Amino acid sequence: MTDQTALFEYLLRLGDNTLVLGHRVSEWCGHAPVLEEDIALANTALDLIGQTQMWLGLAGEVEGSGRSADDLAMHRDVWDFRNLLLVEQPNGDFGQTLMRQCLFDAFHLELLTDLTRASDDRIAAIAAKALKEVTYHLDRSSETVIGLGDGTEESHRRMQAALDLLWPYVGEMFTPDAVDDAMLAAGIAPDLKALRARFDTRIDAILTEATLTKPDSTYAQSGGKTGFRHSEHLGHMLTQMQWLQRAYPGAAW
Amino acid sequence: MYAQMVQSEATAEDPEKLAAFQARIDAGEKIEPKDWMPEGYRKTLIRQIGQHAHSEIVGQLPEGNWITRAPTLERKAILLAKVQDEAGHGLYLYCAAETLGVSRDELTEMLLDGRMKYSSIFNYPTLTWADMGAVGWLVDGAAIMNQVPLQRTSYGPYSRAMIRICKEESFHQRQGYSIMMKMAQGTPVQKKMAQDALNRFWYPSLMMFGPSDKDSVHSAQSMKWKIKMNTNDDLRQKFVDQTVPQAEFLGLTVPDETLRWNEDKGGYDFAEPDWSEFFDVIQGNGPCNTERLAARNKAWDDGAWVREGLMAHAAKKRAAKLAAE
Amino acid sequence: MSQEWPLWEVFIRGQHGLNHRHVGSLHAPDAEMAIKNARDVYTRRNEGVSIWVVEAQHITASSPSDKGPLYEPSESKVYRHPTFFDIPDEAGHM
């Protein structure tokens, strides 16, 4: 793999994570448990969509074939997506959405922190902007996970179920492959093992305060960030997201 | 409008107090929550602000319907920001209503069980992307006609909410028109889509102002109290006069063969919407009434455990803090 | 109906160092969440750099019937305003 190819792949991972998660979170608009949460979720989604424009924009630039962020978002099929399996999981109930958010935010925050020191200035600049947004995302999602974990019997039960359901998707974030290794060697991406340790410290503290029990299993689903095997959910999401561009090729919107 | 057919309450109170109250309003003073006010004024306002707030919240649904299908990342962000604003506007208005002694939960329950209404317009489906253009351009355009004068309404909290809303709304109609421009200048199919959206939303938009109320006692009372600033007919005329040239600029045809410029009155003559359809929609028989209320009920019911959970956690935190002191 | 989240009043200080100003209200289970909700609801357009929240029930308001005794006495203290004093132009800017 050339460095250029690895860099392109890596940027797709960053951009597809925010694209897919932003899309998922935007599905809540108009349906949240209370107005204040509805508005807050939309803010998170808007941040993620903005980050997507930057990451995929840069990916297109690096690729050099003239593809824009929109081209990459709207004209690739499932096997071309490089997002983590975690972020394409369906929203489920509000607790499941917030648990997914919290797990991703904790990873995302640590990742972006390291990326602000990337040897590539363009990446460092995007990471610096995104880091501020994501710091707040984690602040909010962790506080909500804690509140609901510690809340009523029912909210506790639902949050534990969400954690059990989503935990197998945590491992993929920290399992390095050739792309990660190439980016580490290029001074761009962080060492995922060190990242995992920081993630664990954060998540353990949150789960303890939330009175939730981290599952024993270390089994990790994989196939999202490599694009080898996504879940069935992603395809359905794409049929919605890409529908207009696919149905009316060549039209400007 | 967002608050259609709000009946003002009759008031049977001390005539002296009533006269003093009316004098304050006539002098342009704002009425504030702790001030004395006639019971009819209070009740009418609760109904009107509540209905306005409900319309914002239910109004999230037809546009929310397209967030996940927006054609570009930028359009998705703009639409999401816009629909999020509607939630914000609902929130500001509920807060204004709460100063009159009703809680947001009470108002919500009244929406969900059908005791309170929301604007008829949101019971129409959004079928194509062009509908996002038409809704922004026509529906928000009609809403702004009503909301700008309401900034001067006599009730302080309502007036302040409207000022904030108008400030935020200024981009809503423009984003809708920008979608329409793109479509009208696009491929033949896109242009057809834009015309189709205009065809479907024209008359429902005219209905937003409600039936003629020039002889209505209720409207007269509300106007005297400055909680209604213009007659329905005046606003509708203003809307048509403003919108027709915008349609012409797009190269689209307003679906009204009787539409003519009337030099004498300095405005357009136009066909009235089918008012029997309007009353059907208000009665619950619009194309989407069932879905809209079902969606709001589901969000409320599904969210109960979240609201309760966070509340229970807050109580535990308070107790722990007290114990530590 | 379960217990409703309490109502909070929100005060925001904008970019230019002016006082915190009342901008509206919202619901939240506790003060921490009220601050976060205020951030999400009332600073979407870059409106603020500092937020105060106070539970609405803890606000004590003056009574409208006291309007006369509370505020009218200050109307006659015209000498508190700079325009009360005539200063000749020759004295320069003051």
Side-chain angles (χ1 to χ4, degrees):
Chain A
M1 193 176 338
T2 68
D3 272 4
Q4 225 28 30
T5 316
L7 180 58
F8 176 63
E9 285 282 314
Y10 193 70
L11 289 166
L12 286 184
R13 291 180 181 186
L14 293 167
D16 286 347
N17 278 340
T18 53
L19 171 62
V20 171
L21 186 60
H23 185 99
R24 282 287 185 233
V25 177
S26 79
E27 291 172 6
W28 273 101
C29 187
H31 305 278
V34 66
L35 276 174
E36 285 80 358
E37 294 292 345
D38 207 293
I39 293 167
L41 283 171
N43 277 338
T44 302
L46 285 170
D47 287 343
L48 292 170
I49 295 167
Q51 292 170 21
T52 305
Q53 288 173 303
M54 294 190 285
W55 290 129
L56 292 187
L58 182 54
E61 219 177 290
V62 166
E63 188 192 31
S65 316
R67 288 203 279 182
S68 66
D70 279 327
D71 292 334
L72 289 169
M74 301 297 177
H75 292 282
R76 284 178 300 149
D77 205 344
V78 168
W79 60 75
D80 291 323
F81 272 74
R82 296 291 182 264
N83 59 281
L84 296 161
L85 292 174
L86 175 70
V87 295
E88 71 196 42
Q89 297 309 303
N91 285 341
D93 65 13
F94 183 81
Q96 194 177 316
T97 293
L98 265 291
M99 182 59 78
R100 183 186 64 199
Q101 190 68 39
C102 183
L103 293 171
F104 180 73
D105 289 344
F107 158 75
H108 205 194
L109 177 78
E110 297 298 351
L111 176 66
L112 290 171
T113 304
D114 288 350
L115 287 179
T116 58
R117 295 187 291 269
S119 60
D120 185 316
D121 290 346
R122 298 167 300 180
I123 292 179
I126 298 174
K129 179 175 189 305
L131 180 60
K132 290 188 192 120
E133 297 169 347
V134 170
T135 303
Y136 180 74
H137 296 176
L138 178 62
D139 219 19
R140 186 159 186 119
S141 65
S142 62
E143 190 168 335
T144 311
V145 164
I146 290 167
L148 291 173
D150 176 58
T152 59
E153 229 169 89
E154 182 183 8
S155 72
H156 177 84
R157 177 179 59 73
R158 284 176 182 262
M159 294 315 283
Q160 186 64 52
L163 179 60
D164 294 346
L165 181 77
L166 296 173
W167 192 252
Y169 299 103
V170 166
E172 187 188 13
M173 303 193 277
F174 306 100
T175 313
D177 66 356
V179 174
D180 293 313
D181 293 342
M183 288 299 98
L184 177 61
I188 290 173
D191 171 19
L192 287 176
K193 219 182 266 147
L195 205 71
R196 172 88 208 217
R198 279 148 53 200
F199 171 87
D200 280 336
T201 310
R202 272 186 193 282
I203 283 296
D204 288 351
I206 294 167
L207 295 181
T208 304
E209 215 184 324
T211 72
L212 297 171
T213 314
K214 191 157 92 174
D216 279 335
S217 166
T218 53
Y219 183 75
Q221 298 282 359
S222 65
K225 70 179 187 180
T226 61
F228 178 69
R229 186 164 54 215
H230 280 280
S231 68
E232 290 180 348
H233 305 296
L234 182 61
H236 291 285
M237 200 194 101
L238 296 187
T239 56
Q240 270 198 27
M241 186 172 86
Q242 302 181 336
W243 182 74
L244 272 175
Q245 291 282 359
R246 302 285 194 171
Y248 302 95
W253 305 93
Chain B
M1 196 37 54
Y2 280 7
Q4 293 157 323
M5 315 273 297
V6 173
Q7 303 262 303
S8 63
E9 287 270 339
T11 284
E13 269 147 318
D14 180 1
E16 223 169 280
K17 274 185 163 175
L18 281 176
F21 179 78
Q22 189 60 49
R24 290 190 61 197
I25 289 182
D26 293 343
E29 278 184 44
K30 292 280 182 245
I31 308 301
E32 296 297 339
K34 289 181 99 182
D35 291 348
W36 182 87
M37 63 186 82
E39 202 43 27
Y41 178 83
R42 198 180 67 83
K43 283 192 177 149
T44 309
L45 267 176
I46 288 178
R47 213 171 288 168
Q48 178 171 331
I49 301 173
Q51 196 181 115
H52 195 155
H54 297 329
S55 297
E56 299 281 358
I57 302 311
V58 178
Q60 287 185 272
L61 299 171
E63 287 178 286
N65 185 35
W66 277 90
I67 290 172
T68 55
R69 289 179 288 173
T72 67
L73 294 169
E74 187 178 70
R75 287 286 180 205
K76 194 208 289 275
I78 293 170
L79 184 61
L80 177 56
K82 196 222 153 185
V83 182
Q84 180 199 39
D85 274 351
E86 314 292 359
H89 299 170
L91 188 151
Y92 309 154
L93 287 161
Y94 283 127
C95 289
E98 282 179 274
T99 62
L100 293 158
V102 62
S103 78
R104 187 163 93 188
D105 279 6
E106 283 172 313
L107 288 167
T108 303
E109 298 281 340
M110 286 194 272
L111 166 70
L112 297 181
D113 66 18
R115 273 176 292 161
M116 283 183 85
K117 303 282 182 210
Y118 54 89
S119 176
S120 57
I121 190 72
F122 301 118
N123 290 310
Y124 289 87
T126 53
L127 302 176
T128 70
W129 176 251
D131 289 7
M132 294 305 96
V135 168
W137 170 37
L138 301 173
V139 176
D140 288 276
I144 290 165
M145 293 256 129
N146 181 48
Q147 290 173 347
V148 166
L150 272 177
Q151 294 178 100
R152 292 179 284 110
T153 184
S154 63
Y155 188 56
Y158 191 23
S159 154
R160 290 189 283 274
M162 289 319 307
I163 288 169
R164 193 171 184 97
I165 288 171
C166 285
K167 207 169 110 197
E168 296 187 353
E169 279 233 331
S170 48
F171 98 84
H172 292 186
Q173 192 187 12
R174 282 161 172 258
Q175 69 88 31
Y177 198 69
S178 128
I179 292 175
M180 289 308 266
M181 284 202 297
K182 209 66 180 188
M183 306 284 287
Q185 295 158 5
T187 65
V189 180
Q190 282 180 302
K191 186 162 183 187
K192 205 172 147 196
M193 219 187 260
Q195 181 64 52
D196 173 66
L198 174 58
N199 292 349
R200 280 182 290 107
F201 276 98
W202 175 255
Y203 287 106
S205 300
L206 295 188
M207 290 178 202
M208 286 177 70
F209 300 95
S212 179
D213 59 349
K214 51 183 186 293
D215 304 318
S216 156
V217 195
H218 294 296
S219 290
Q221 178 60 72
S222 284
M223 287 178 81
K224 228 175 121 195
W225 278 336
K226 289 192 190 160
I227 55 185
K228 184 177 167 71
M229 310 301 284
N230 309 80
T231 68
N232 295 349
D233 289 328
D234 282 353
L235 287 173
R236 190 171 11 253
Q237 181 70 50
K238 209 173 151 199
F239 173 75
V240 171
D241 292 345
Q242 176 188 292
T243 308
V244 170
Q246 293 167 351
E248 282 166 359
F249 178 80
L250 293 171
L252 300 179
T253 312
V254 173
D256 176 0
E257 285 176 8
T258 68
L259 189 75
R260 295 275 180 288
W261 177 256
N262 180 332
E263 195 61 53
D264 294 340
K265 78 171 180 189
Y268 285 91
D269 291 332
F270 57 92
E272 289 278 312
D274 174 0
W275 290 112
S276 67
E277 175 182 317
F278 171 77
F279 287 108
D280 277 340
V281 175
I282 289 280
Q283 300 304 324
N285 293 321
C288 297
N289 294 58
T290 312
E291 287 94 328
R292 299 292 185 245
L293 266 189
R296 287 313 311 159
N297 271 289
K298 184 175 185 322
W300 188 245
D301 295 343
D302 288 355
W305 72 271
V306 176
R307 297 189 300 273
E308 285 158 17
L310 292 176
M311 196 65 182
H313 170 67
K316 285 184 198 177
K317 253 194 344 192
R318 248 192 326 273
K321 210 170 151 193
L322 274 178
E325 274 166 13
Chain C
M1 204 188 300
S2 63
Q3 202 197 346
E4 188 166 3
W5 290 0
L7 188 69
W8 301 77
E9 299 301 334
V10 180
F11 301 81
I12 290 185
R13 180 152 57 76
Q15 309 284 350
H16 307 296
L18 298 175
N19 290 332
H20 283 76
R21 197 167 68 88
H22 182 243
V23 293
S25 336
L26 49 74
H27 289 267
D30 58 29
E32 289 76 23
M33 284 307 290
I35 290 270
K36 287 198 170 68
N37 288 347
R39 179 266 188 198
D40 280 304
V41 172
Y42 287 107
T43 68
R44 299 201 303 286
R45 286 172 172 76
N46 205 13
E47 291 98 331
V49 294
S50 167
I51 299 173
W52 289 348
V53 292
V54 57
E55 211 177 321
Q57 62 167 352
H58 292 142
I59 289 192
T60 310
S62 63
S63 159
S65 59
D66 289 343
K67 225 176 185 171
L70 283 184
Y71 312 113
E72 273 170 33
S74 72
E75 275 175 24
S76 56
K77 314 292 190 294
V78 286
Y79 44 78
R80 285 188 188 275
H81 299 278
T83 45
F84 178 76
F85 304 94
D86 275 332
I87 303 288
D89 288 347
E90 292 78 7
H93 179 72
M94 192 175 292

